[in-house]
Amino acid sequence: MPELPEVEVVRRGLERWVAHRTVAGAEVLHPRAVRRHLAGADDFTHRLEGHRIGAPSRRGKYLWLPLEDTPQAILAHLGMSGQLLIRPRTAPDEKHLRIRVRFADTPASADTDAAGTELRFVDQRTFGGLSLHDTTPDGLPDVIAHIARDPLDPLFDDEAFHQALRRKRSTIKRALLDQSLISGVGNIYADEALWRSRLHYDRPTAGFTRPRTLELLGHVRDVMTAALAVGGTSFDSLYVNVNGESGYFDRSLDAYGREGLPCRRCGTPMRRRPWMNRSSYFCPRCQRPPRVSS
DNA sequence: CAAGGCTCCTGATAGC
DNA sequence: TGCTATCAGGAGCCTT
């Protein structure tokens, strides 16, 4: 399940293999993959043709490929199971291939041995997709203006995040997953950062002290940086990075998926609790629930 | 307006 | 064997 580190790995792959190539054509094999492109699949493909791709950017779990000659960008979200693969044009289609983008071979692509390859969006569960949007003056696709900066962004404002937590009448894991407060954190890294911080997921944010917020942010950054160093992660075999190699980091997980296994800090069996139609993993001893439970 | 819940989707797996 | 139930969960959208 791609979160910020995995998406960043994909972004770097695209920088290597796709930037500065010109789109020759695109093919949408499943309409749901472009459902965020409201004008439809035909409009999506027609408007891509002939444009040259710029340097890929990312905010949180969104990444986008700017078109160099127009203030627009191809926005991508991988959802649960999305992959962006660079494959030889001659490679057989993947079972869940949703979108194919072909490129014109140019001297630029020949220089990087990218010639003869195409970009494929493969997505089993179809929660992800591509779409084309206008970009704001700072280069951000307009439809993700509500997405907050992510914790690895140098312009992320720790103090503003802390004040936002204080104003909320919510609990900490909900806040971590709220992409309008802090982006890029999903269920896995939320549980990991909370475990490192010894915080229970249901702890109200309103009472957070500044040191507590800053420590949590530090752990969020640490766990993401560690995952990035290993090449992103997804013990989920569905996840493959842009070069088609599977990444991951599963051996470094301290909380997620460890129900019944001993806490790596105190040895107490880890627990799993149903939470927001998913799961939260935590140590019942290190991460004590708040006194007043919702 | 904020907070919380519902829903989209497919495949692996467990249970009967 | 073959069916059904459950789980995985990001984020837009809906309800309260």
PDB file of all heavy atoms in Angstrom, chain A residues 221-242:
ATOM      1  N   ARG A 221       8.846  11.333  10.443  1.00  0.00           N
ATOM      2  CA  ARG A 221       9.929  11.567   9.477  1.00  0.00           C
ATOM      3  C   ARG A 221      10.942  10.435   9.501  1.00  0.00           C
ATOM      4  O   ARG A 221      11.417   9.993   8.461  1.00  0.00           O
ATOM      5  CB  ARG A 221      10.613  12.901   9.789  1.00  0.00           C
ATOM      6  CG  ARG A 221       9.721  14.090   9.464  1.00  0.00           C
ATOM      7  CD  ARG A 221      10.404  15.415   9.758  1.00  0.00           C
ATOM      8  NE  ARG A 221       9.592  16.521   9.275  1.00  0.00           N
ATOM      9  CZ  ARG A 221       9.087  17.486  10.039  1.00  0.00           C
ATOM     10  NH1 ARG A 221       9.336  17.509  11.336  1.00  0.00           N
ATOM     11  NH2 ARG A 221       8.353  18.427   9.502  1.00  0.00           N
ATOM     12  N   ASP A 222      11.268   9.951  10.684  1.00  0.00           N
ATOM     13  CA  ASP A 222      12.254   8.873  10.791  1.00  0.00           C
ATOM     14  C   ASP A 222      11.786   7.605  10.086  1.00  0.00           C
ATOM     15  O   ASP A 222      12.543   6.968   9.357  1.00  0.00           O
ATOM     16  CB  ASP A 222      12.534   8.550  12.267  1.00  0.00           C
ATOM     17  CG  ASP A 222      13.380   9.628  12.936  1.00  0.00           C
ATOM     18  OD1 ASP A 222      13.904  10.502  12.215  1.00  0.00           O
ATOM     19  OD2 ASP A 222      13.512   9.582  14.174  1.00  0.00           O
ATOM     20  N   VAL A 223      10.531   7.248  10.327  1.00  0.00           N
ATOM     21  CA  VAL A 223      10.055   5.990   9.760  1.00  0.00           C
ATOM     22  C   VAL A 223       9.943   6.112   8.237  1.00  0.00           C
ATOM     23  O   VAL A 223      10.230   5.161   7.496  1.00  0.00           O
ATOM     24  CB  VAL A 223       8.727   5.551  10.414  1.00  0.00           C
ATOM     25  CG1 VAL A 223       7.567   6.401   9.977  1.00  0.00           C
ATOM     26  CG2 VAL A 223       8.443   4.089  10.141  1.00  0.00           C
ATOM     27  N   MET A 224       9.572   7.284   7.756  1.00  0.00           N
ATOM     28  CA  MET A 224       9.485   7.478   6.305  1.00  0.00           C
ATOM     29  C   MET A 224      10.870   7.524   5.668  1.00  0.00           C
ATOM     30  O   MET A 224      11.097   6.960   4.595  1.00  0.00           O
ATOM     31  CB  MET A 224       8.741   8.772   6.005  1.00  0.00           C
ATOM     32  CG  MET A 224       7.247   8.636   6.215  1.00  0.00           C
ATOM     33  SD  MET A 224       6.409  10.149   5.758  1.00  0.00           S
ATOM     34  CE  MET A 224       4.721   9.537   5.674  1.00  0.00           C
ATOM     35  N   THR A 225      11.789   8.171   6.337  1.00  0.00           N
ATOM     36  CA  THR A 225      13.149   8.253   5.809  1.00  0.00           C
ATOM     37  C   THR A 225      13.784   6.871   5.754  1.00  0.00           C
ATOM     38  O   THR A 225      14.480   6.524   4.790  1.00  0.00           O
ATOM     39  CB  THR A 225      13.992   9.196   6.685  1.00  0.00           C
ATOM     40  OG1 THR A 225      13.353  10.474   6.717  1.00  0.00           O
ATOM     41  CG2 THR A 225      15.389   9.360   6.111  1.00  0.00           C
ATOM     42  N   ALA A 226      13.520   6.073   6.787  1.00  0.00           N
ATOM     43  CA  ALA A 226      14.070   4.715   6.804  1.00  0.00           C
ATOM     44  C   ALA A 226      13.489   3.890   5.661  1.00  0.00           C
ATOM     45  O   ALA A 226      14.214   3.143   4.991  1.00  0.00           O
ATOM     46  CB  ALA A 226      13.762   4.047   8.148  1.00  0.00           C
ATOM     47  N   ALA A 227      12.186   4.039   5.431  1.00  0.00           N
ATOM     48  CA  ALA A 227      11.555   3.291   4.345  1.00  0.00           C
ATOM     49  C   ALA A 227      12.118   3.729   2.997  1.00  0.00           C
ATOM     50  O   ALA A 227      12.373   2.910   2.112  1.00  0.00           O
ATOM     51  CB  ALA A 227      10.044   3.505   4.377  1.00  0.00           C
ATOM     52  N   LEU A 228      12.316   5.008   2.869  1.00  0.00           N
ATOM     53  CA  LEU A 228      12.852   5.553   1.624  1.00  0.00           C
ATOM     54  C   LEU A 228      14.256   5.013   1.370  1.00  0.00           C
ATOM     55  O   LEU A 228      14.623   4.686   0.247  1.00  0.00           O
ATOM     56  CB  LEU A 228      12.884   7.077   1.741  1.00  0.00           C
ATOM     57  CG  LEU A 228      12.881   7.931   0.493  1.00  0.00           C
ATOM     58  CD1 LEU A 228      11.892   7.410  -0.530  1.00  0.00           C
ATOM     59  CD2 LEU A 228      12.560   9.358   0.885  1.00  0.00           C
ATOM     60  N   ALA A 229      15.017   4.872   2.427  1.00  0.00           N
ATOM     61  CA  ALA A 229      16.393   4.386   2.296  1.00  0.00           C
ATOM     62  C   ALA A 229      16.422   2.950   1.798  1.00  0.00           C
ATOM     63  O   ALA A 229      17.368   2.536   1.136  1.00  0.00           O
ATOM     64  CB  ALA A 229      17.113   4.497   3.641  1.00  0.00           C
ATOM     65  N   VAL A 230      15.384   2.201   2.126  1.00  0.00           N
ATOM     66  CA  VAL A 230      15.322   0.805   1.687  1.00  0.00           C
ATOM     67  C   VAL A 230      14.684   0.701   0.307  1.00  0.00           C
ATOM     68  O   VAL A 230      14.504  -0.376  -0.236  1.00  0.00           O
ATOM     69  CB  VAL A 230      14.542  -0.037   2.719  1.00  0.00           C
ATOM     70  CG1 VAL A 230      14.523  -1.500   2.342  1.00  0.00           C
ATOM     71  CG2 VAL A 230      15.129   0.129   4.100  1.00  0.00           C
ATOM     72  N   GLY A 231      14.309   1.838  -0.235  1.00  0.00           N
ATOM     73  CA  GLY A 231      13.732   1.826  -1.576  1.00  0.00           C
ATOM     74  C   GLY A 231      12.230   1.817  -1.537  1.00  0.00           C
ATOM     75  O   GLY A 231      11.582   1.273  -2.415  1.00  0.00           O
ATOM     76  N   GLY A 232      11.677   2.444  -0.513  1.00  0.00           N
ATOM     77  CA  GLY A 232      10.238   2.425  -0.355  1.00  0.00           C
ATOM     78  C   GLY A 232       9.924   1.071   0.191  1.00  0.00           C
ATOM     79  O   GLY A 232      10.805   0.266   0.381  1.00  0.00           O
ATOM     80  N   THR A 233       8.714   0.816   0.512  1.00  0.00           N
ATOM     81  CA  THR A 233       8.361  -0.517   0.964  1.00  0.00           C
ATOM     82  C   THR A 233       6.944  -0.811   0.653  1.00  0.00           C
ATOM     83  O   THR A 233       6.142   0.061   0.493  1.00  0.00           O
ATOM     84  CB  THR A 233       8.532  -0.680   2.474  1.00  0.00           C
ATOM     85  OG1 THR A 233       7.500  -1.470   2.954  1.00  0.00           O
ATOM     86  CG2 THR A 233       8.570   0.602   3.147  1.00  0.00           C
ATOM     87  N   SER A 234       6.679  -2.053   0.538  1.00  0.00           N
ATOM     88  CA  SER A 234       5.346  -2.545   0.475  1.00  0.00           C
ATOM     89  C   SER A 234       5.586  -4.014   0.502  1.00  0.00           C
ATOM     90  O   SER A 234       5.959  -4.573  -0.484  1.00  0.00           O
ATOM     91  CB  SER A 234       4.645  -2.105  -0.797  1.00  0.00           C
ATOM     92  OG  SER A 234       3.265  -2.192  -0.654  1.00  0.00           O
ATOM     93  N   PHE A 235       5.413  -4.589   1.677  1.00  0.00           N
ATOM     94  CA  PHE A 235       5.490  -6.036   1.797  1.00  0.00           C
ATOM     95  C   PHE A 235       4.380  -6.619   0.983  1.00  0.00           C
ATOM     96  O   PHE A 235       4.307  -7.793   0.736  1.00  0.00           O
ATOM     97  CB  PHE A 235       5.326  -6.425   3.271  1.00  0.00           C
ATOM     98  CG  PHE A 235       4.298  -5.594   3.909  1.00  0.00           C
ATOM     99  CD1 PHE A 235       2.985  -5.944   3.792  1.00  0.00           C
ATOM    100  CD2 PHE A 235       4.644  -4.401   4.527  1.00  0.00           C
ATOM    101  CE1 PHE A 235       2.006  -5.129   4.316  1.00  0.00           C
ATOM    102  CE2 PHE A 235       3.660  -3.605   5.042  1.00  0.00           C
ATOM    103  CZ  PHE A 235       2.346  -3.969   4.934  1.00  0.00           C
ATOM    104  N   ASP A 236       3.445  -5.757   0.552  1.00  0.00           N
ATOM    105  CA  ASP A 236       2.385  -6.211  -0.353  1.00  0.00           C
ATOM    106  C   ASP A 236       3.033  -6.500  -1.698  1.00  0.00           C
ATOM    107  O   ASP A 236       3.627  -5.638  -2.296  1.00  0.00           O
ATOM    108  CB  ASP A 236       1.354  -5.088  -0.496  1.00  0.00           C
ATOM    109  CG  ASP A 236       0.131  -5.556  -1.258  1.00  0.00           C
ATOM    110  OD1 ASP A 236       0.227  -6.530  -2.003  1.00  0.00           O
ATOM    111  OD2 ASP A 236      -0.913  -4.919  -1.111  1.00  0.00           O
ATOM    112  N   SER A 237       2.917  -7.732  -2.150  1.00  0.00           N
ATOM    113  CA  SER A 237       3.584  -8.104  -3.393  1.00  0.00           C
ATOM    114  C   SER A 237       3.006  -7.361  -4.590  1.00  0.00           C
ATOM    115  O   SER A 237       3.577  -7.369  -5.660  1.00  0.00           O
ATOM    116  CB  SER A 237       3.460  -9.605  -3.624  1.00  0.00           C
ATOM    117  OG  SER A 237       2.105  -9.955  -3.728  1.00  0.00           O
ATOM    118  N   LEU A 238       1.859  -6.726  -4.397  1.00  0.00           N
ATOM    119  CA  LEU A 238       1.274  -5.966  -5.499  1.00  0.00           C
ATOM    120  C   LEU A 238       2.120  -4.760  -5.831  1.00  0.00           C
ATOM    121  O   LEU A 238       2.126  -4.274  -6.943  1.00  0.00           O
ATOM    122  CB  LEU A 238      -0.132  -5.473  -5.120  1.00  0.00           C
ATOM    123  CG  LEU A 238      -1.208  -6.528  -5.113  1.00  0.00           C
ATOM    124  CD1 LEU A 238      -2.467  -5.953  -4.490  1.00  0.00           C
ATOM    125  CD2 LEU A 238      -1.484  -6.993  -6.516  1.00  0.00           C
ATOM    126  N   TYR A 239       2.840  -4.291  -4.836  1.00  0.00           N
ATOM    127  CA  TYR A 239       3.580  -3.074  -5.063  1.00  0.00           C
ATOM    128  C   TYR A 239       4.907  -3.357  -5.747  1.00  0.00           C
ATOM    129  O   TYR A 239       5.716  -4.139  -5.288  1.00  0.00           O
ATOM    130  CB  TYR A 239       3.853  -2.330  -3.759  1.00  0.00           C
ATOM    131  CG  TYR A 239       4.636  -1.085  -4.038  1.00  0.00           C
ATOM    132  CD1 TYR A 239       4.005   0.002  -4.615  1.00  0.00           C
ATOM    133  CD2 TYR A 239       5.994  -1.041  -3.830  1.00  0.00           C
ATOM    134  CE1 TYR A 239       4.722   1.116  -4.947  1.00  0.00           C
ATOM    135  CE2 TYR A 239       6.723   0.070  -4.153  1.00  0.00           C
ATOM    136  CZ  TYR A 239       6.079   1.153  -4.713  1.00  0.00           C
ATOM    137  OH  TYR A 239       6.795   2.244  -5.064  1.00  0.00           O
ATOM    138  N   VAL A 240       5.124  -2.716  -6.827  1.00  0.00           N
ATOM    139  CA  VAL A 240       6.377  -2.838  -7.551  1.00  0.00           C
ATOM    140  C   VAL A 240       6.796  -1.434  -7.939  1.00  0.00           C
ATOM    141  O   VAL A 240       5.968  -0.625  -8.306  1.00  0.00           O
ATOM    142  CB  VAL A 240       6.197  -3.699  -8.816  1.00  0.00           C
ATOM    143  CG1 VAL A 240       7.510  -3.825  -9.565  1.00  0.00           C
ATOM    144  CG2 VAL A 240       5.681  -5.078  -8.452  1.00  0.00           C
ATOM    145  N   ASN A 241       8.058  -1.146  -7.822  1.00  0.00           N
ATOM    146  CA  ASN A 241       8.446   0.217  -8.164  1.00  0.00           C
ATOM    147  C   ASN A 241       8.509   0.402  -9.668  1.00  0.00           C
ATOM    148  O   ASN A 241       8.234  -0.494 -10.443  1.00  0.00           O
ATOM    149  CB  ASN A 241       9.736   0.618  -7.448  1.00  0.00           C
ATOM    150  CG  ASN A 241      10.944  -0.049  -8.043  1.00  0.00           C
ATOM    151  OD1 ASN A 241      10.930  -0.452  -9.199  1.00  0.00           O
ATOM    152  ND2 ASN A 241      11.990  -0.168  -7.261  1.00  0.00           N
ATOM    153  N   VAL A 242       8.873   1.590 -10.054  1.00  0.00           N
ATOM    154  CA  VAL A 242       8.722   1.968 -11.457  1.00  0.00           C
ATOM    155  C   VAL A 242       9.601   1.112 -12.366  1.00  0.00           C
ATOM    156  O   VAL A 242       9.341   0.967 -13.536  1.00  0.00           O
ATOM    157  CB  VAL A 242       9.011   3.468 -11.628  1.00  0.00           C
ATOM    158  CG1 VAL A 242      10.491   3.731 -11.575  1.00  0.00           C
ATOM    159  CG2 VAL A 242       8.383   3.994 -12.907  1.00  0.00           C
TER     160      VAL A 242
END
